[in-house]
Amino acid sequence: MENNLVYTIGRQFGSGGRQVGRTLAKKLGIPFYDKELIALSAQESGLSEALFANADEKATSSIFYSLVMGNYPMASGALGVTEMPLNDQLFLIQCKTIKKLAETGSCVIVGRCADYILRERENVLNVFIHASLESRVERAIKVYQVDEHKAEDVCLKADKQRANFYNYYSDRKWGMCRTYDLSLDSSKIGIDGCADQIIAFGKALAEHKGQGI
Amino acid sequence: MENNLVYTIGRQFGSGGRQVGRTLAKKLGIPFYDKELIALSAQESGLSEALFANADEKATSSIFYSLVMGNYPMASGALGVTEMPLNDQLFLIQCKTIKKLAETGSCVIVGRCADYILRERENVLNVFIHASLESRVERAIKVYQVDEHKAEDVCLKADKQRANFYNYYSDRKWGMCRTYDLSLDSSKIGIDGCADQIIAFGKALAEHKGQGI
């Protein structure tokens, strides 16, 4: 029905964005990719999952830091690409994985700049899930077992890291309305409510196709 | 049904946000306030509409500018409030008007920091409408008869002015997802699609009430 629509989901830490994506995929009977992207990228490139997991949604550190840490291949890159920081090489591999997945049909992809990577594809619905800080803190403690005294800090730092990653690899701004087609406060309508709202938007998108405002 | 829900609508210039608000109000059979707020504030304060129209959604200029322009009452303010720039005084009057309207029941209010002004009220649904620059330019030319060579500039400058106004009078950021409960790209689903999506969110809000994520 949704014409091979690919749903990308950006999210604040603790907003339940991943859960929204999982629920959405289940309701629509389509594949769901979050951490699964790490295993897929590792499989396709032959590199270790640990390498991808370590770089997951992190922007490249400064060249100086990379040099000190020894992960800036100066002459001949171990991955076959020279003069490029490791995280950038891993990002390019993940780009290929995401583009390949999108080609196979409708699916849900969480984070990892998927909206930007698929910017030239038609039929992509870009969503951002956020929530009140209070409810994110509560969720971080309950779901991720974060220490209650550190929970707020963990939420804010995780968001900062996601924003850095997104803003580094794209020409858009993480968390700005105009970056997405639809953004929702999950603390107002819950996980299920968000999934239903996204499905309704997908239907409206198909009906309205190309007619403008 | 929506329990006296007040809908506030922030919007990019040319995104059709006002039209979305008008359509929403019509579908729900509730009052709609946009420029109407100017007449109401003028009526209630006894000041001229022209004064409010001139200050509409504009942040206070710098004190220096206000002094030069003669609209910074130094000793005894003509409006009964001393030592406060004119735009700030008009903003306070508009605050009262908006709060009074919200008390009378469900309605749609466009712009003017209404979401922030009503932050302590329960049952407020804060929406932001945006759209691709291309479609906003097209709309600016068609609907507002803006010169086609200036349309892009007009859109971007109007947004900057709205952001300045909003960020000056609130502690939130205009156009950021987290500022709103729901944000929608009107160029993807049209005016009617946006209105329907807002109504669906309102229903989900009432059903989910206070349950968190």
Side-chain angles (χ1 to χ4, degrees), chain A residues 58-84:
Chain A
K58 287 182 194 128
T60 289
S61 317
S62 72
I63 290 178
F64 177 74
Y65 178 83
S66 298
L67 282 170
V68 171
M69 298 303 285
N71 60 358
Y72 193 89
M74 288 301 287
S76 58
L79 306 177
V81 189
T82 56
E83 310 284 340
M84 191 191 276

mmCIF file of all heavy atoms in Angstrom, chain A residues 58-84:
data_model
loop_
_atom_site.group_PDB
_atom_site.id
_atom_site.type_symbol
_atom_site.label_atom_id
_atom_site.label_comp_id
_atom_site.label_asym_id
_atom_site.label_seq_id
_atom_site.Cartn_x
_atom_site.Cartn_y
_atom_site.Cartn_z
ATOM 1 N N LYS A 58 28.886 7.848 16.000
ATOM 2 C CA LYS A 58 29.869 8.814 16.513
ATOM 3 C C LYS A 58 30.521 9.502 15.331
ATOM 4 O O LYS A 58 30.915 8.847 14.371
ATOM 5 C CB LYS A 58 30.937 8.103 17.344
ATOM 6 C CG LYS A 58 30.425 7.632 18.701
ATOM 7 C CD LYS A 58 31.550 6.978 19.503
ATOM 8 C CE LYS A 58 30.951 6.220 20.671
ATOM 9 N NZ LYS A 58 31.405 4.826 20.746
ATOM 10 N N ALA A 59 30.638 10.806 15.414
ATOM 11 C CA ALA A 59 31.333 11.551 14.370
ATOM 12 C C ALA A 59 32.824 11.303 14.519
ATOM 13 O O ALA A 59 33.302 10.909 15.574
ATOM 14 C CB ALA A 59 31.028 13.039 14.492
ATOM 15 N N THR A 60 33.545 11.502 13.427
ATOM 16 C CA THR A 60 34.992 11.390 13.458
ATOM 17 C C THR A 60 35.582 12.364 14.474
ATOM 18 O O THR A 60 35.157 13.503 14.555
ATOM 19 C CB THR A 60 35.552 11.719 12.057
ATOM 20 O OG1 THR A 60 35.204 10.650 11.202
ATOM 21 C CG2 THR A 60 37.055 11.924 12.077
ATOM 22 N N SER A 61 36.528 11.883 15.252
ATOM 23 C CA SER A 61 37.217 12.783 16.189
ATOM 24 C C SER A 61 38.125 13.701 15.371
ATOM 25 O O SER A 61 38.279 13.521 14.171
ATOM 26 C CB SER A 61 38.075 11.974 17.147
ATOM 27 O OG SER A 61 37.369 10.846 17.586
ATOM 28 N N SER A 62 38.719 14.656 16.031
ATOM 29 C CA SER A 62 39.610 15.571 15.315
ATOM 30 C C SER A 62 40.785 14.770 14.742
ATOM 31 O O SER A 62 41.111 13.691 15.224
ATOM 32 C CB SER A 62 40.149 16.625 16.272
ATOM 33 O OG SER A 62 41.087 16.032 17.146
ATOM 34 N N ILE A 63 41.373 15.302 13.692
ATOM 35 C CA ILE A 63 42.503 14.602 13.061
ATOM 36 C C ILE A 63 43.607 14.385 14.087
ATOM 37 O O ILE A 63 44.201 13.320 14.155
ATOM 38 C CB ILE A 63 43.029 15.422 11.859
ATOM 39 C CG1 ILE A 63 41.990 15.368 10.733
ATOM 40 C CG2 ILE A 63 44.360 14.868 11.367
ATOM 41 C CD1 ILE A 63 42.358 16.161 9.511
ATOM 42 N N PHE A 64 43.841 15.393 14.927
ATOM 43 C CA PHE A 64 44.903 15.270 15.932
ATOM 44 C C PHE A 64 44.644 14.067 16.826
ATOM 45 O O PHE A 64 45.512 13.226 17.038
ATOM 46 C CB PHE A 64 44.974 16.553 16.779
ATOM 47 C CG PHE A 64 46.008 16.467 17.874
ATOM 48 C CD1 PHE A 64 47.362 16.542 17.567
ATOM 49 C CD2 PHE A 64 45.637 16.290 19.200
ATOM 50 C CE1 PHE A 64 48.315 16.452 18.574
ATOM 51 C CE2 PHE A 64 46.584 16.197 20.202
ATOM 52 C CZ PHE A 64 47.923 16.278 19.894
ATOM 53 N N TYR A 65 43.373 13.963 17.301
ATOM 54 C CA TYR A 65 43.009 12.853 18.185
ATOM 55 C C TYR A 65 43.176 11.515 17.452
ATOM 56 O O TYR A 65 43.714 10.557 17.976
ATOM 57 C CB TYR A 65 41.557 13.026 18.645
ATOM 58 C CG TYR A 65 41.052 11.915 19.520
ATOM 59 C CD1 TYR A 65 41.326 11.911 20.893
ATOM 60 C CD2 TYR A 65 40.307 10.867 18.990
ATOM 61 C CE1 TYR A 65 40.862 10.888 21.697
ATOM 62 C CE2 TYR A 65 39.848 9.839 19.788
ATOM 63 C CZ TYR A 65 40.131 9.846 21.144
ATOM 64 O OH TYR A 65 39.660 8.837 21.919
ATOM 65 N N SER A 66 42.744 11.498 16.199
ATOM 66 C CA SER A 66 42.838 10.272 15.412
ATOM 67 C C SER A 66 44.288 9.848 15.229
ATOM 68 O O SER A 66 44.625 8.663 15.281
ATOM 69 C CB SER A 66 42.184 10.466 14.044
ATOM 70 O OG SER A 66 40.828 10.755 14.202
ATOM 71 N N LEU A 67 45.161 10.839 15.016
ATOM 72 C CA LEU A 67 46.586 10.537 14.835
ATOM 73 C C LEU A 67 47.158 9.927 16.107
ATOM 74 O O LEU A 67 47.842 8.907 16.080
ATOM 75 C CB LEU A 67 47.355 11.830 14.501
ATOM 76 C CG LEU A 67 47.238 12.317 13.053
ATOM 77 C CD1 LEU A 67 47.823 13.719 12.933
ATOM 78 C CD2 LEU A 67 47.935 11.351 12.103
ATOM 79 N N VAL A 68 46.814 10.564 17.234
ATOM 80 C CA VAL A 68 47.318 10.093 18.527
ATOM 81 C C VAL A 68 46.810 8.675 18.805
ATOM 82 O O VAL A 68 47.541 7.809 19.262
ATOM 83 C CB VAL A 68 46.860 11.048 19.666
ATOM 84 C CG1 VAL A 68 47.172 10.473 21.035
ATOM 85 C CG2 VAL A 68 47.552 12.404 19.502
ATOM 86 N N MET A 69 45.525 8.457 18.474
ATOM 87 C CA MET A 69 44.925 7.156 18.747
ATOM 88 C C MET A 69 45.305 6.111 17.695
ATOM 89 O O MET A 69 44.955 4.941 17.811
ATOM 90 C CB MET A 69 43.395 7.273 18.808
ATOM 91 C CG MET A 69 42.897 8.174 19.921
ATOM 92 S SD MET A 69 43.467 7.646 21.552
ATOM 93 C CE MET A 69 42.404 6.238 21.836
ATOM 94 N N GLY A 70 45.994 6.576 16.663
ATOM 95 C CA GLY A 70 46.462 5.631 15.645
ATOM 96 C C GLY A 70 45.372 5.150 14.697
ATOM 97 O O GLY A 70 45.564 4.128 14.037
ATOM 98 N N ASN A 71 44.230 5.846 14.662
ATOM 99 C CA ASN A 71 43.212 5.376 13.717
ATOM 100 C C ASN A 71 43.020 6.328 12.541
ATOM 101 O O ASN A 71 41.934 6.488 12.020
ATOM 102 C CB ASN A 71 41.869 5.068 14.418
ATOM 103 C CG ASN A 71 41.296 6.294 15.107
ATOM 104 O OD1 ASN A 71 41.915 7.343 15.080
ATOM 105 N ND2 ASN A 71 40.134 6.142 15.722
ATOM 106 N N TYR A 72 44.134 6.953 12.144
ATOM 107 C CA TYR A 72 44.094 7.794 10.946
ATOM 108 C C TYR A 72 45.124 7.252 9.970
ATOM 109 O O TYR A 72 46.326 7.526 10.082
ATOM 110 C CB TYR A 72 44.420 9.251 11.305
ATOM 111 C CG TYR A 72 44.091 10.214 10.194
ATOM 112 C CD1 TYR A 72 42.822 10.787 10.119
ATOM 113 C CD2 TYR A 72 45.015 10.515 9.204
ATOM 114 C CE1 TYR A 72 42.501 11.653 9.100
ATOM 115 C CE2 TYR A 72 44.691 11.384 8.171
ATOM 116 C CZ TYR A 72 43.445 11.955 8.135
ATOM 117 O OH TYR A 72 43.107 12.822 7.115
ATOM 118 N N PRO A 73 44.673 6.434 8.991
ATOM 119 C CA PRO A 73 45.621 5.796 8.084
ATOM 120 C C PRO A 73 46.273 6.814 7.157
ATOM 121 O O PRO A 73 45.597 7.428 6.337
ATOM 122 C CB PRO A 73 44.736 4.822 7.297
ATOM 123 C CG PRO A 73 43.342 5.284 7.485
ATOM 124 C CD PRO A 73 43.284 6.189 8.659
ATOM 125 N N MET A 74 47.561 7.020 7.350
ATOM 126 C CA MET A 74 48.252 8.093 6.632
ATOM 127 C C MET A 74 48.664 7.721 5.211
ATOM 128 O O MET A 74 48.504 8.506 4.297
ATOM 129 C CB MET A 74 49.500 8.532 7.402
ATOM 130 C CG MET A 74 49.179 9.311 8.658
ATOM 131 S SD MET A 74 48.220 10.791 8.326
ATOM 132 C CE MET A 74 49.490 11.821 7.578
ATOM 133 N N ALA A 75 49.201 6.518 5.069
ATOM 134 C CA ALA A 75 49.735 6.175 3.740
ATOM 135 C C ALA A 75 48.800 5.201 3.019
ATOM 136 O O ALA A 75 48.076 5.581 2.101
ATOM 137 C CB ALA A 75 51.137 5.574 3.888
ATOM 138 N N SER A 76 48.732 3.982 3.496
ATOM 139 C CA SER A 76 47.848 3.024 2.847
ATOM 140 C C SER A 76 46.857 2.521 3.883
ATOM 141 O O SER A 76 47.213 1.857 4.833
ATOM 142 C CB SER A 76 48.659 1.866 2.285
ATOM 143 O OG SER A 76 49.388 1.257 3.329
ATOM 144 N N GLY A 77 45.606 2.851 3.701
ATOM 145 C CA GLY A 77 44.571 2.475 4.657
ATOM 146 C C GLY A 77 44.368 0.976 4.690
ATOM 147 O O GLY A 77 44.353 0.324 3.655
ATOM 148 N N ALA A 78 44.196 0.438 5.890
ATOM 149 C CA ALA A 78 43.968 -0.999 6.058
ATOM 150 C C ALA A 78 42.658 -1.402 5.394
ATOM 151 O O ALA A 78 42.439 -2.549 5.025
ATOM 152 C CB ALA A 78 43.925 -1.342 7.542
ATOM 153 N N LEU A 79 41.757 -0.422 5.226
ATOM 154 C CA LEU A 79 40.448 -0.729 4.660
ATOM 155 C C LEU A 79 40.403 -0.421 3.165
ATOM 156 O O LEU A 79 39.356 -0.449 2.552
ATOM 157 C CB LEU A 79 39.371 0.072 5.393
ATOM 158 C CG LEU A 79 39.367 -0.108 6.910
ATOM 159 C CD1 LEU A 79 38.308 0.794 7.538
ATOM 160 C CD2 LEU A 79 39.080 -1.559 7.270
ATOM 161 N N GLY A 80 41.564 -0.114 2.625
ATOM 162 C CA GLY A 80 41.606 0.118 1.184
ATOM 163 C C GLY A 80 41.318 1.554 0.786
ATOM 164 O O GLY A 80 41.332 1.902 -0.366
ATOM 165 N N VAL A 81 40.999 2.399 1.746
ATOM 166 C CA VAL A 81 40.780 3.812 1.444
ATOM 167 C C VAL A 81 41.844 4.590 2.212
ATOM 168 O O VAL A 81 41.952 4.453 3.412
ATOM 169 C CB VAL A 81 39.388 4.286 1.908
ATOM 170 C CG1 VAL A 81 39.108 5.692 1.396
ATOM 171 C CG2 VAL A 81 38.324 3.314 1.467
ATOM 172 N N THR A 82 42.625 5.343 1.516
ATOM 173 C CA THR A 82 43.708 6.056 2.197
ATOM 174 C C THR A 82 43.261 7.435 2.644
ATOM 175 O O THR A 82 42.292 7.978 2.120
ATOM 176 C CB THR A 82 44.939 6.213 1.273
ATOM 177 O OG1 THR A 82 44.505 6.865 0.101
ATOM 178 C CG2 THR A 82 45.554 4.865 0.963
ATOM 179 N N GLU A 83 44.011 7.983 3.568
ATOM 180 C CA GLU A 83 43.829 9.373 4.002
ATOM 181 C C GLU A 83 42.422 9.660 4.513
ATOM 182 O O GLU A 83 41.943 10.767 4.380
ATOM 183 C CB GLU A 83 44.136 10.343 2.846
ATOM 184 C CG GLU A 83 45.457 10.098 2.157
ATOM 185 C CD GLU A 83 46.655 10.576 2.972
ATOM 186 O OE1 GLU A 83 46.463 11.409 3.864
ATOM 187 O OE2 GLU A 83 47.770 10.083 2.731
ATOM 188 N N MET A 84 41.737 8.694 5.071
ATOM 189 C CA MET A 84 40.403 8.949 5.586
ATOM 190 C C MET A 84 40.257 8.363 6.981
ATOM 191 O O MET A 84 40.603 7.208 7.210
ATOM 192 C CB MET A 84 39.372 8.319 4.652
ATOM 193 C CG MET A 84 37.954 8.760 4.950
ATOM 194 S SD MET A 84 36.756 7.779 4.076
ATOM 195 C CE MET A 84 36.738 8.611 2.503
#
